[in-house]
Amino acid sequence: EEEGDDLFLPGCRYVSVQATGKLSPALAAKDAADIEHSALVHIDGTSRVIRVYEGGLWSADYFLNEKTGTWQLRVWSSIEAQVIHWLERPESSSLVCTLLRDYVIPYSYAGHGGLILLSSTHPRDLVSREGFRVGSRLVDMTPAQFSTVMAVDGGTWISTDGSVREAGTLYEPESSAEDRSSEESALEGGSRHLTAKGLAEQNLDALVIVISANRPIKLLQGSRGLPI
């Protein structure tokens, strides 16, 4: 038995470790996916995020929420179960879960923040500035391409058929004075969260996803919310 093997679970053994300043976690995870029963742990000290990938897919993370000063754990199996249970239309769960796991969570590491409106129609009456047309199917976009679109100031409209329709749209839903002075909204991210809340309450058939610059994600539908 090699020295140090007793530090690991039965059947697990240290193989090797590589350090590099230019590691793509997603690409490394895909490479590791060919190794049976493997997991990739990516530790980003600069961004204060620990990411875990299993079978080439994002599995969990542990990150510092700089707004609250606390560390937060997200585990995909738990998130997926919560989302499926929470959604009013279970048939949309596949699209929502793909959007979250493959695109929104990777984007949340960029620290830009963002807003997504997932709906069959676009509420033009709530638009204060038109965005630009994207017209790409979500599954045809890489996470990097999606992040480039999301990083543009404004919201992104994704239709329920999985097409990224428009981006860079500024929405201006009505909000009450109580909402504008809400400590909760200020803590979560201010005007972006107020806009998301108004969009959800005035478009009951829509799902709104709001991403904070400090990484937390929240789903909104009507008056209900689900933190991720």
Side-chain angles (χ1 to χ4, degrees), residues 24-131:
S24 167
L27 292 178
K30 288 182 179 179
D31 291 340
D34 295 332
I35 305 173
E36 189 176 2
H37 306 305
S38 68
L40 173 73
V41 179
H42 177 248
I43 302 172
D44 187 341
T46 303
S47 300
R48 297 181 175 86
V49 178
I50 300 172
R51 304 180 227 182
V52 180
Y53 296 83
E54 293 181 282
L57 298 173
W58 182 88
S59 177
D61 66 10
Y62 192 52
F63 67 91
L64 177 65
N65 183 329
E66 296 180 358
K67 193 89 171 182
T68 63
T70 60
W71 284 84
Q72 292 183 223
L73 174 67
R74 294 186 293 202
V75 178
W76 175 247
S77 58
S78 176
I79 292 172
E80 184 179 35
Q82 288 180 58
V83 169
I84 292 173
H85 177 75
W86 182 83
L87 287 172
E88 292 185 342
R89 290 189 174 88
E91 66 273 12
S92 66
S93 62
S94 177
L95 172 59
V96 174
C97 287
T98 297
L99 177 60
L100 287 173
R101 184 179 200 174
D102 298 342
Y103 298 94
V104 174
I105 289 174
Y107 172 75
S108 73
Y109 299 126
H112 297 312
L115 186 151
I116 296 170
L117 176 68
L118 180 62
S119 67
S120 56
T121 58
H122 201 207
R124 299 290 177 188
D125 56 321
L126 302 180
V127 172
S128 63
R129 188 196 73 190
E130 294 288 346

Side-chain angles (χ1 to χ4, degrees), residues 107 112-116 150-152 154-156 192-193 196 209-213:
Y107 172 75
H112 297 312
L115 186 151
I116 296 170
M150 279 289 297
V152 177
T156 300
R192 184 185 297 114
H193 282 263
I209 303 174
V210 59
I211 306 105
S212 296

Side-chain angles (χ1 to χ4, degrees), residues 197-212:
K197 187 172 183 289
L199 276 175
E201 291 177 347
Q202 295 169 49
N203 295 270
L204 299 180
D205 291 333
L207 174 69
V208 180
I209 303 174
V210 59
I211 306 105
S212 296

